[in-house]
Amino acid sequence: KNVANFEDLISFVTGYGATYNPTKVPIKLASLTTLLTTAKTDVILVTTKTVAFNNATNARVLLFDLLRPLSTRLVNAFTTTDATTEMVKDAKSINRKLQGKRAKTIQAPIAPDASAPNTISASQQSYDQLIEHFTKLIELLKTEPTYAPNETDLKIITLTAQLTALKTANTNVATAYTAVSNSRIARDKTLYKDKTGLYDISGDVKNYVKSLYGATAPEFKQISKIKFTKPKTN
């Protein structure tokens, strides 16, 4: 909304023609136009990076949703081998951790254009733990020579590949979130940075027009009603 209103502000300023001729460079028409272009680009970039983050999140959710039923099948297959009672107990213990540890994030695909969260630290940790538990389960299966299932999806080579895919999906979310966070920082600097941000610059433009035409002039009334907002800082 701030960017749209800033474009309206520039439109009015442009309409003043040669009369609008401030000495301060940041509020000259050329500078305002450049700032508007940057602001539009930054806002679009946040949206683009957010969509990429949500796509990565959705892909991870779908992949990790397969983990719990698979781990149960693995333990059931493990019990049919010559593994010791203690080894089977260990496998079941790991499976309980896999079944009970739900990643702290949305468990169904979200809209591609939904807002990315402000933090993913909690959910990231949960996914890291799921990967850790699955790794331990695979390593345990490897130690038993008689674990040699005929089912392709239960074979060690398949599980190893799936573990790699889980790690990649998890890393992709973290990388995409970093991109979202950085794009937000860039956008916020463009919009709200002291003195040079769109919010402060719009105020300077209004003050200049007020000094140029007077507080009761119709020109100032045109732009004085254009609202700009700034988020409250903690």
Side-chain angles (χ1 to χ4, degrees), residues 75 78 83-84 86-95 133-145 147 156:
V75 171
F78 194 59
T84 65
E86 288 302 317
M87 291 176 68
V88 172
K89 285 183 178 179
D90 288 343
K92 290 181 177 180
S93 175
I94 295 172
N95 185 42
H133 296 324
F134 191 53
T135 301
K136 289 179 179 179
L137 182 57
I138 293 175
E139 292 303 314
L140 179 61
L141 298 178
K142 286 181 179 179
T143 63
E144 176 49 55
Y147 179 79
I156 295 297

Side-chain angles (χ1 to χ4, degrees), residues 156-173:
I156 295 297
I157 188 172
T158 306
L159 299 177
T160 302
Q162 184 157 356
L163 177 61
T164 298
L166 292 172
K167 290 179 178 179
T168 298
N170 202 36
T171 299
N172 287 345
V173 171

